[in-house]
Amino acid sequence: MIEVKNLYKSYREKDVLNGVTCSFESGFVYSIVAPNGTGKTTFISILSGLLAPTSGEISFSGDNSIKNTYVVLAGEKNLYAKNTVKENAMYIGRISGKTTKEIKKQTDFLRNRFPVYNDVFDSLVEKLSYGQKRLVALLSSVIADSSCIIIDEVSEGLDMNHISLLLDMIEYLKKDRIIILASHDYEFVANVSDYNWFLKDGCFQKMYGRLSKDQLVSIYKELYTVMKD
């Protein structure tokens, strides 16, 4: 579990996060929904240890820790374009403390479980489609043996086929992990999320369970009527 208590973050006396309190448990997908510029990226950066809060506390229990938190960034920033998928997997595994044998065991499993990964395993990353890069970046979190995976704009730029594959991957990955999404794709959020947090005025509003796309849009409009997405 990850517990966040009274998290504050200010930039030049401007409060971006204003007492965020929430918790995340393994086995579930959580989505953070809010317009741009409301603090989503700041919150993710603090949760993953890339940014220090002004005040507040984040506690980890079980297998969860900042070290075991993996961030899949928007676009294709998690991979080395001039290397193959295999070489990327080896690098990510080694910097995560895994042996060559452990990395091979994990990649062999992923290649069998997700044929799309096997198809591109020996390919240069720069030769992959945008969708393939996103899927490979997500599976890299498994190589790193991450217990918490944070995905920024998870379905951005993906076609329907890759979105379907992505849904399958996330459903598999959440079994013994915390999955946190930051996304504006409400249809995708509705299809995959167990819980939804709406961020406004620097803190999370009421947490909702599973919502339909129409329910998400309705809540979004109610909360952010004067804001532009």
Side-chain angles (χ1 to χ4, degrees):
M1 176 182 284
I2 301 175
E3 292 188 85
V4 180
K5 297 180 180 178
N6 296 320
L7 199 67
Y8 288 83
K9 181 62 180 180
S10 300
Y11 296 103
R12 298 180 180 177
E13 300 182 356
K14 179 183 178 181
D15 294 331
V16 177
L17 299 180
N18 188 23
V20 173
T21 296
C22 59
S23 62
F24 306 95
E25 295 186 25
S26 296
F28 299 101
V29 177
Y30 299 83
S31 284
I32 301 172
V33 183
N36 291 327
T38 52
K40 292 194 305 293
T41 300
T42 296
F43 177 73
I44 287 172
S45 298
I46 293 174
L47 197 62
S48 59
L50 298 175
L51 186 67
T54 302
S55 63
E57 178 184 353
I58 301 176
S59 59
F60 299 85
S61 59
D63 295 329
N64 298 296
S65 68
I66 287 181
K67 181 180 178 181
N68 289 334
T69 298
Y70 192 97
V71 181
V72 180
L73 299 169
E76 42 198 84
K77 302 171 186 175
N78 287 79
L79 302 170
Y80 291 92
K82 297 297 182 181
N83 296 94
T84 65
V85 172
K86 178 180 179 179
E87 290 166 341
N88 271 270
M90 183 62 65
Y91 175 75
I92 290 168
R94 293 308 295 267
I95 64 173
S96 300
K98 307 301 176 185
T99 65
T100 300
K101 184 177 180 180
E102 288 172 330
I103 297 168
K104 185 178 186 306
K105 180 180 179 180
Q106 192 64 274
T107 54
D108 285 348
F109 171 79
L110 292 175
R111 292 172 72 181
N112 182 64
R113 175 65 178 78
F114 300 105
V116 64
Y117 191 62
N118 184 61
D119 292 344
V120 301
F121 195 63
D122 293 311
S123 302
L124 287 172
V125 168
E126 66 181 359
K127 300 295 185 181
L128 304 184
S129 70
Y130 183 82
Q132 288 171 329
K133 291 173 184 176
R134 292 292 282 163
L135 298 178
V136 169
L138 178 57
L139 291 179
S140 296
S141 65
V142 182
I143 308 299
D145 198 23
S146 306
S147 58
C148 176
I149 304 172
I150 303 173
I151 313 173
D152 187 22
E153 294 303 339
V154 57
S155 59
E156 180 185 51
L158 300 187
D159 59 28
M160 291 182 65
N161 182 51
H162 284 107
I163 287 176
S164 178
L165 290 169
L166 187 61
L167 285 168
D168 182 36
M169 287 182 182
I170 291 177
E171 194 64 27
Y172 163 75
L173 291 174
K174 80 171 189 178
K175 292 177 182 177
D176 54 359
R177 297 174 177 85
I178 296 169
I179 307 291
I180 301 173
L181 310 179
S183 177
H184 291 97
D185 185 342
Y186 306 124
E187 183 170 357
F188 187 88
V189 168
N191 285 332
V192 76
S193 301
D194 297 298
Y195 297 102
N196 299 275
W197 288 103
F198 289 81
L199 183 62
K200 183 181 180 182
D201 298 329
C203 62
F204 287 132
Q205 308 298 310
K206 176 182 176 182
M207 182 179 73
Y208 295 84
R210 282 193 171 271
L211 298 169
S212 68
K213 178 183 177 182
D214 288 344
Q215 288 172 321
L216 276 164
V217 171
S218 177
I219 295 169
Y220 187 95
K221 288 181 178 178
E222 182 181 344
L223 288 172
Y224 310 113
T225 51
V226 298
M227 303 184 73
K228 293 183 179 180
D229 196 345

